[in-house]
Amino acid sequence: MDVSAHIEAVYDDLRRRDPGEAEFHQAAQEVLHTMGPVLEAHPEYVEARIVERLCEPERQLMFRVPWVDDQGTVRVNRGFRVEFNSALGPYKGGLRFHPSVNLGIVKFLGFEQIFKNALTGMAIGGGKGGADFDPKGRSDGEVMRFCQAFMTELYRHLGEHTDVPAGDIGVGAREIGYLFGQYKRITNRYEAGVLTGKPVGWGGSHVRTEATGYGAVYFAQEMLATRGQHLDGRRVVISGSGNVAVYAAEKVHALGGLVVACSDSSGYVVDEDGLDLELLKEVKEVRRSRISAYAEARPAARFSDRGSVFDVPCDIALPCATQNELNQQDAVALVKNGVLAVAEGANMPCTPDAVEVFRDARILFGPGKAANAGGVATSALEMQQNAARDSWTFERTEDRLAAIMRQVHSQCRVTAATYGGDPDDYVFGANATGFLRVAEAMTAQGVV
Ligand code: NDP
């Protein structure tokens, strides 16, 4: 069979059957269009229709989430869970609460998650979920009632051996706590392994909060090392100021780099002395304020709501906010300013034409599937601890995370080279490694 015709046919079919799911189309295209050399080498996967089966979720759920706000007004949101692929283990992937959430976004995230989770080498399948609920400006009581209503529907689909959600944008420790409480109440089971990202005091893992950001920096460090470079003394720009961004910044500082800018959806701050992370955490995690409050509290810093955080000159860029936040123009600005490496802390933050700019300029580029895999890998470590009713130290858990990120990095390079690609092509390396692991399991498990 003509492999490229097969890939085109799958992609055309997907766009025809799932119109309006732009982000899912983008994520699928990015994977499918790198699969040629792998499918040429494995005609059995073409025969078994692995690519078609991978593009179709095993199950997708959409449900009503009715709740009552502080004024007594009834509100109605839409909840989602896409259980994409369970060849390697229970569905695993976060929940996102953001007004932009729709089926196409959840499917793009779930699709990415299949390959990312496979790449970690852990026994986890791929899934993702969320709701078009906006937690911004909502009281704790409102967030709790929303989470309870959401879990009242979702609980029947979850289980430590079935589907294990975690956090994502808008879902942090507070939301995981409320979701877990409702699951426990409804099921009358203390099933710690049903959700990850729990606080350390009751079933959570050390390092889970830090894992995605730390892991992205470890990945950037590994990429730099292939060119004899390191983070020490480097200027770093990070987009976002949420969970991933804050802990990426913390690890950059620990390794001797200087984070000079970060952002949120209202603008960005530049702080040439290096971000004060205690202040940033206070502003974003405690006060839940806008990023401009950081600049108000720190005279050396300035806030801007014009242009992009990626206009700030840097050696390393870590996009850690959301999908398609770094466009071609941003990529050109980064290259012009001499960027050495870009590692995606967020999922699909760079547009396809931005990735092309990095590729043409031979900038080291770590795609999210590989660079941000530390979060879900540590979730899998949390599941291991829950299953054993054990709790590891911070150091032991961080050592595991660091080893996993090194392994993810080297595996990308090895697979890319094995299939005739450039070892620096982490996009191909990550897609191919993840695909091969899932395809082997799906083939062995038959047509299911
Ligand atoms: P948070 O909710 O903690 O933070 C999100 C940050 O991104 C905030 O600063 C937010 O700004 C900003 N942001 C969100 N949406 C937009 C937007 N449309 N435009 C500009 N800025 C935006 O989320 P996380 O840090 O957990 O997640 C960030 C990214 O990392 C996401 O892509 C997520 O899928 C990915 N990821 C997260 C993992 C995790 O473990 N948490 C694991 C792997 C990937 P504002 O407050 O103004 O909305």
Side-chain angles (χ1 to χ4, degrees):
M1 183 188 278
D2 176 347
V3 163
S4 43
H6 169 65
I7 290 172
E8 276 316 311
V10 174
Y11 184 57
D12 287 348
D13 209 33
L14 174 152
R15 280 193 304 180
R16 182 183 57 75
R17 293 172 75 201
D18 303 319
E21 297 178 1
E23 290 83 1
F24 175 50
H25 299 168
Q26 184 183 335
Q29 182 178 38
E30 190 259 336
V31 172
L32 296 186
H33 286 175
T34 59
M35 279 300 109
V38 176
L39 293 176
E40 295 282 359
H42 293 281
E44 70 276 18
Y45 295 153
V46 177
E47 195 143 315
R49 304 279 164 187
I50 295 294
V51 178
E52 272 140 294
R53 284 155 63 191
L54 268 170
C55 289
E56 186 67 22
E58 288 176 16
R59 192 173 299 107
Q60 51 190 38
L61 311 157
M62 287 172 66
F63 50 94
R64 184 175 67 196
V65 188
W67 57 284
V68 181
D69 72 15
D70 285 347
Q71 282 68 48
T73 306
V74 175
R75 303 269 177 177
V76 182
N77 285 98
R78 183 172 290 172
F80 301 87
R81 186 74 182 164
V82 174
E83 298 181 332
F84 230 117
N85 193 291
S86 61
L88 295 176
Y91 309 107
K92 184 84 197 88
L95 299 171
R96 175 176 293 190
F97 290 169
H98 192 272
S100 64
V101 168
N102 58 37
L103 184 60
I105 288 183
V106 178
K107 281 177 69 178
F108 121 63
L109 291 163
F111 185 74
E112 295 262 306
Q113 201 82 47
I114 303 170
F115 302 92
K116 180 190 312 187
N117 293 6
L119 194 50
T120 66
M122 321 288 281
I124 40 180
K128 200 82 187 187
D132 59 356
F133 169 72
D134 189 356
K136 272 200 202 83
R138 292 286 171 202
S139 68
D140 286 353
E142 290 178 317
V143 170
M144 181 181 75
R145 289 194 295 280
F146 177 81
C147 289
Q148 291 175 340
F150 183 85
M151 186 53 90
T152 299
E153 176 58 32
L154 189 63
Y155 87 95
R156 71 191 81 239
H157 305 288
L158 305 184
E160 62 181 332
H161 302 295
T162 310
D163 185 351
V164 182
D168 191 80
I169 292 178
V171 178
R174 173 182 61 170
E175 290 75 17
I176 292 292
Y178 294 148
L179 291 164
F180 185 80
Q182 184 72 351
Y183 182 86
K184 182 168 68 68
R185 174 160 73 177
I186 295 174
T187 60
N188 193 32
R189 285 159 65 93
Y190 202 107
E191 192 183 334
V194 75
L195 284 172
T196 59
K198 302 177 292 296
V200 175
W202 48 272
S205 172
H206 284 293
V207 195
R208 178 60 190 90
T209 306
E210 297 84 354
T212 310
Y214 278 20
V217 175
Y218 286 136
F219 196 89
Q221 197 183 23
E222 292 293 314
M223 289 199 300
L224 288 168
T226 64
R227 295 193 178 169
Q229 290 158 345
H230 43 76
L231 267 161
D232 196 19
R234 296 295 186 187
R235 282 170 65 88
V236 180
V237 162
I238 296 181
S239 62
S241 48
N243 170 264
V244 180
V246 163
Y247 290 98
E250 188 169 281
K251 187 50 77 180
V252 168
H253 284 181
L255 294 173
L258 196 68
V259 183
V260 292
C262 73
S263 65
D264 68 10
S265 58
S266 66
Y268 63 94
V269 290
V270 182
D271 188 340
E272 291 289 344
D273 296 340
L275 289 180
D276 176 341
L277 295 183
E278 287 317 306
L279 175 61
L280 185 63
K281 285 184 198 171
E282 223 275 308
V283 167
K284 299 303 292 186
E285 291 174 7
V286 183
R287 285 197 254 158
R288 295 182 191 270
S289 290
R290 307 280 67 211
I291 196 73
S292 52
Y294 176 93
E296 283 157 20
R298 192 157 150 101
R302 69 177 168 83
F303 169 75
S304 174
D305 58 5
R306 301 252 168 99
S308 156
V309 69
F310 299 111
D311 295 336
V312 180
C314 64
D315 303 309
I316 290 137
L318 304 174
C320 296
T322 193
Q323 65 273 2
N324 292 329
E325 52 159 323
L326 194 165
N327 60 26
Q328 187 181 34
Q329 197 184 335
D330 297 322
V332 169
L334 284 166
V335 172
K336 190 164 136 281
N337 288 328
V339 75
L340 301 169
V342 179
E344 294 187 324
N347 285 312
M348 208 169 73
C350 299
T351 59
D353 48 12
V355 178
E356 271 315 303
V357 171
F358 297 138
R359 189 192 305 265
D360 291 347
R362 293 202 56 79
I363 304 300
L364 290 165
F365 174 71
K369 275 186 213 88
N372 71 37
V376 75
T378 309
S379 275
L381 300 179
E382 182 172 335
M383 291 164 72
Q384 284 184 20
Q385 292 168 74
N386 292 152
R389 299 190 184 279
D390 196 2
S391 177
W392 306 344
T393 62
F394 195 97
E395 292 68 27
R396 177 177 173 192
T397 319
E398 195 182 359
D399 284 351
R400 286 289 306 269
L401 168 65
I404 290 167
M405 294 313 294
R406 279 196 298 275
Q407 173 69 18
V408 166
H409 175 267
S410 67
Q411 197 59 57
C412 288
R413 296 184 70 84
V414 168
T415 309
T418 305
Y419 286 87
D422 176 353
D424 280 354
D425 187 350
Y426 294 96
V427 173
F428 173 52
N431 289 343
T433 307
F435 175 83
L436 286 162
R437 199 160 172 244
V438 180
E440 188 187 346
M442 286 176 72
T443 308
Q445 291 168 18
V447 181
V448 292

